[in-house]
């Protein structure tokens, strides 16, 4: 969920892990069909469910633990939850975390090195307590940074604890969150992200996941892994080098163009594209493209599909068959996409293009286009790997 991007949400369920020191985590990803007002899935050792095109991780916070359902997001770093006392909190179904009831809660001081971790949004002014202010396109969260004991539950019912995790205790939280969502857990590249903090204890700052298509049977689940064993390797794997840009949070690639069948639509008609112009963001369902590129791309899509779209939309009543689109990244890396990734099946049975045009020079590749890929993120080696996979059959 990158800044300036609207938020849709989802629920997940994480399972299985190894409790040995340095061992990786293996989690179950569950998609549930919910009402349009809700949102959906992803994460790190605990439980997760989908809630309408986004992902949520279930994690225990504090001693005794409070169960927190947080939106999983590779487009941000901070893990925060709604926190008492609430100056301004949105309505929440489950109990709000109360730090005064936890024996392991500890606020950070302004002098603490953790207060100034990259991506924390922290600021200190006139107080010894480390405050934070973290904004999204859909809202913001404000509060104090603290450390707390976190734990996730394996598929065998065993708890894997992570003491001293830095998180945001949010006292002022606004945005398009629903009552099932108790906060947001950032899996970006920054030093304060959840994967960066727990990575050294589970075998490295890396994770992999397999996102199911939007119309998947809600009883089917897949998995997500963190640390040891999460590498995406073997035949058919497509690996790209991530690009270091000014913002240390994002998983950025250089997108040079998009092909529709054998016709190339260049990213730009006025020169080479900027390095790191495309961000991978599981926290945003649609793919967002610069309006000029989007216009040229959709014109080519219309030309290649023989049937007429519905009205002025890029939606079709019929199955689109085997139309192949390919994302072209710098370094000669090509990622073919089927209609499962490029068109979403709607409740009425129609198929709509999984991209939008936006007023921005950069692109954002949303979770719809990453469906049915086993995707491995490796922060330490700055790579991302894709393996075509039926995510409904991953356990």
């Amino acid at each position: 969920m990158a800044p300036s991007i609207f938020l849709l949400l989802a629920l997940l369920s994480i399972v299985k892990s190894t409790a040995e020191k340095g061992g990786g985590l293996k989690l179950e990803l569950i998609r549930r069909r919910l009402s349009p007002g809700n949102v959906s899935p992803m994460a790190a050792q605990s439980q997760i469910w989908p809630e309408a095109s986004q992902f949520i991780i279930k994690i225990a916070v504090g001693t005794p633990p409070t169960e927190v359902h947080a939106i999983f997001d590779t487009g941000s770093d901070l893990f925060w939850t709604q926190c008492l006392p609430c100056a301004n909190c949105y309505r929440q179904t489950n109990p709000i975390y109360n730090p005064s009831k936890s024996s392991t809660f500890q606020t950070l001081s302004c002098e603490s090195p953790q207060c100034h971790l990259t991506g924390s949004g922290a600021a200190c002014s006139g107080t010894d307590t480390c405050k934070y202010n973290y904004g999204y396109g859909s809202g913001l969260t404000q509060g104090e940074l603290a450390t707390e004991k976190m734990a996730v539950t394996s598929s065998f019912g065993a708890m894997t604890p992570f003491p001293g995790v830095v998180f945001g205790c949010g006292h002022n939280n606004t945005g398009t969150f629903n009552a099932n969502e108790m906060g947001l857990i950032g899996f970006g590249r920054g030093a304060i992200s959840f994967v960066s903090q727990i990575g050294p204890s589970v075998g490295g700052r890396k994770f992999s996941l397999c996102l199911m298509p939007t119309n998947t049977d809600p009883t089917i689940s897949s998995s997500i892994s963190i640390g040891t064993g999460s590498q995406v390797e073997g035949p058919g794997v497509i690996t790209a080098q991530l690009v270091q840009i000014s913002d240390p949070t994002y998983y950025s690639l250089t997108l040079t163009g998009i092909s529709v069948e054998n016709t190339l639509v260049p990213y730009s008609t006025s020169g080479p594209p900027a390095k790191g112009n495309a961000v991978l963001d599981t926290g945003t369902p649609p793919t967002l493209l610069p309006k000029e590129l989007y216009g040229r791309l959709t014109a080519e899509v219309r030309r290649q599909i023989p049937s007429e779209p519905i009205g002025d939309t890029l939606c079709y009543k019929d199955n689109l068959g085997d139309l192949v689109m390919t994302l072209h990244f710098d370094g000669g890396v090509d990622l073919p996409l089927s209609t499962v990734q490029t068109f979403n099946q709607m409740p009425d049975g129609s198929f709509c293009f999984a991209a939008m045009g936006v007023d921005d020079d950069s692109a954002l590749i949303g979770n719809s286009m990453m469906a049915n890929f086993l995707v491995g993120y490796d922060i330490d080696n700055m790579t991302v790997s894709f393996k075509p996979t039926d995510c409904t059959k991953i356990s």
Side-chain angles (χ1 to χ4, degrees):
M1 190 183 307
S4 300
I5 302 304
F6 65 83
L7 182 67
L8 298 177
L9 309 162
L11 272 189
L12 298 170
S13 169
I14 289 180
V15 172
K16 282 193 293 193
S17 85
T18 59
E20 306 115 46
K21 186 177 179 64
L25 302 175
K26 183 71 177 286
L27 318 166
E28 183 184 23
L29 246 161
I30 301 172
R31 173 172 287 279
R32 294 177 181 167
R33 194 184 307 278
L34 300 179
S35 64
N38 294 331
V39 190
S40 257
M42 188 173 157
Q45 189 55 22
S46 155
Q47 269 196 317
I48 305 182
W49 309 260
E51 252 199 44
S53 297
Q54 204 87 328
F55 308 88
I56 290 180
I57 179 172
K58 176 180 171 183
I59 187 166
V61 178
T63 308
T66 294
E67 187 173 280
V68 171
H69 301 170
I71 302 162
F72 178 88
D73 185 26
T74 59
S76 65
D77 291 324
L78 184 66
F79 171 32
W80 61 270
T81 186
Q82 297 212 104
C83 207
L84 294 177
C86 275
N88 181 27
C89 285
Y90 57 86
R91 188 176 69 84
Q92 179 175 305
T93 300
N94 292 324
I96 294 176
Y97 167 75
N98 187 348
S100 68
K101 302 288 187 178
S102 174
S103 63
T104 46
F105 175 83
Q106 182 64 57
T107 56
L108 292 176
S109 70
C110 287
E111 289 73 30
S112 169
Q114 296 163 303
C115 178
H116 307 286
L117 287 176
T118 301
S120 69
C124 290
S125 58
T127 177
D128 191 47
T129 301
C130 183
K131 305 291 186 182
Y132 77 89
N133 186 332
Y134 213 87
Y136 307 91
S138 60
L140 62 84
T141 175
Q142 297 173 324
E144 55 193 357
L145 285 185
T147 59
E148 183 57 285
K149 178 182 177 181
M150 310 284 176
V152 290
T153 307
S154 75
S155 56
F156 307 106
M159 297 289 288
T160 302
F162 298 98
V165 176
V166 179
F167 80 113
C169 185
H171 302 299
N172 180 17
N173 316 297
T174 61
T176 56
F177 303 101
N178 69 40
N180 293 321
E181 298 143 2
M182 304 164 68
L184 187 148
I185 187 165
F187 261 61
R189 294 191 302 109
I192 204 171
S193 81
F194 191 75
V195 66
S196 292
Q197 290 192 67
I198 73 166
S201 66
V202 296
R205 296 185 304 158
K206 54 192 173 186
F207 60 98
S208 61
L209 64 149
C210 205
L211 302 182
M212 293 166 287
T214 55
N215 62 341
T216 299
D217 184 331
T219 64
I220 298 174
S221 64
S222 69
S223 65
I224 174 173
S225 299
I226 302 172
T228 299
S230 67
Q231 301 92 322
V232 176
E233 301 169 330
V237 172
I238 299 167
T239 298
Q241 196 70 36
L242 292 168
V243 178
Q244 183 73 58
I245 60 174
S246 58
D247 193 318
T249 296
Y250 298 141
Y251 297 94
S252 301
L253 299 169
T254 302
L255 182 64
T256 59
I258 303 173
S259 289
V260 184
E261 293 293 345
N262 295 320
T263 302
L264 174 65
V265 179
Y267 190 90
S268 173
T269 57
S270 59
K275 295 293 184 181
N277 63 348
V279 173
L280 302 176
D281 187 359
T282 61
T284 302
T287 290
L288 308 179
L289 301 173
K291 279 186 176 178
E292 194 273 338
L293 168 60
Y294 179 80
R296 289 185 288 112
L297 178 65
T298 53
E300 184 59 32
V301 171
R302 287 174 184 269
R303 190 183 74 82
Q304 298 251 10
I305 297 177
S307 57
E308 286 295 316
I310 302 169
D312 294 330
T313 69
L314 205 59
C315 296
Y316 295 84
K317 290 182 179 179
D318 303 320
N319 192 310
L320 302 172
D322 299 324
L323 180 77
V324 175
M325 297 175 64
T326 304
L327 301 179
H328 301 288
F329 298 109
D330 201 18
V333 177
D334 299 327
L335 185 65
L337 305 174
S338 70
T339 52
V340 170
Q341 286 111 14
T342 54
F343 283 81
N344 291 328
Q345 186 171 7
M346 300 293 104
D348 64 359
S350 63
F351 296 84
C352 294
F353 194 41
M356 301 172 56
V358 293
D359 291 319
D360 201 314
D361 294 332
S362 298
L364 185 150
I365 300 171
N367 63 44
S368 291
M369 279 196 181
M370 289 185 267
N372 272 2
F373 281 113
L374 180 61
V375 185
Y377 298 79
D378 191 329
I379 298 173
D380 295 325
N381 293 308
M382 285 291 286
T383 60
V384 61
S385 299
F386 302 86
K387 184 174 185 177
T389 304
D390 184 349
C391 293
T392 65
K393 297 181 180 178
I394 293 290
S395 58

